[in-house]
Amino acid sequence: MFDLREKRAWIFDLDGTLTQPVHDFALIRQKLGIDPSDDILDCIKRQSPERQHWMNVQLDLLERAYASQAAPAEGVLDCLEALAAAGCQMGILTRNTQELALLSLKAIGADTFFEKAHVLGREDSQPKPSPEGIHILLKLWALPNHSGVMVGDFHLDLLSGRAAGVSTVHVDLKDRHWPEDTDIRVKNLPELTSLLTFV
């Protein structure tokens, strides 16, 4: 296993990784009339412009409610403080909008760790599993791929990291494992922080 302390560019998923999972994706799909097996953002993209507008408005309302309820994941501030103290760059890559991501970060007391330009929502890059957002952040920081880490709780996070050529950390809260796309698997953020004893 490689040493995470050598990594300087840390990119986090937000919902379910830095926050406690509150999104009810089954309810979102039901409200928007999306098949249970379909990707929400992909389905919206396939609609007519009028239907897209309606669906995006409804999705924004639902996600705004979830963002206002955001609660910090166990150990999130300790993890971010360890990385900040080591001088690491930190960013967010989320399939939410940037506005709602910033609202969630403020709700959990983590907004001071992230510059606004380093919080990328679905309007800022192609959504995960695309690697585009990771490439944008690494370019902003002028850091190479091998110094980057993508941290998330879901397969899309890991796929985006794989496609971008960065290391992947799976915060596996629900005992769902994708070993082919995971470099390091931890059960929660305190376990991740235990691997970050910078010297």
Side-chain angles (χ1 to χ4, degrees), residues 4-142:
L4 284 173
R5 295 173 298 178
E6 298 173 355
K7 305 296 181 178
R8 312 315 298 165
W10 287 77
I11 301 166
F12 291 90
D13 169 57
L14 182 56
D15 301 313
T17 300
L18 298 186
T19 70
Q20 296 179 25
V22 295
H23 281 60
D24 186 339
F25 292 107
L27 178 62
I28 291 173
R29 287 181 173 88
Q30 179 185 347
K31 294 280 188 183
L32 298 182
I34 295 174
D35 187 271
S37 64
D38 205 350
D39 181 273
I40 293 169
L41 298 183
D42 284 348
C43 180
I44 293 174
K45 282 173 59 178
R46 296 195 302 267
Q47 308 304 312
S48 68
E50 295 80 8
R51 179 69 176 171
Q52 280 188 38
H53 176 73
W54 180 85
M55 293 175 81
N56 279 319
V57 168
Q58 300 307 308
L59 181 60
D60 186 74
L61 290 171
L62 290 163
E63 289 185 335
R64 190 173 298 276
Y66 290 130
S68 67
Q69 302 167 19
E74 178 189 4
V76 61
L77 297 184
D78 289 340
C79 182
L80 298 177
E81 285 168 0
L83 292 170
C88 296
Q89 295 283 1
M90 291 185 286
I92 297 289
L93 183 59
T94 176
R95 285 163 62 97
N96 290 339
T97 65
Q98 185 197 60
E99 177 192 2
L100 296 182
L102 293 169
L103 180 62
S104 292
L105 287 170
K106 186 171 184 179
I108 67 172
D111 52 313
T112 58
F113 291 100
F114 299 93
E115 295 184 27
K116 183 178 180 180
H118 300 166
V119 178
L120 301 187
R122 60 176 173 257
E123 72 274 34
D124 302 306
S125 70
Q126 290 295 314
K128 296 173 288 187
S130 167
E132 184 182 15
I134 296 174
H135 291 315
I136 289 171
L137 289 170
L138 291 174
K139 186 175 180 180
L140 281 173
W141 297 330

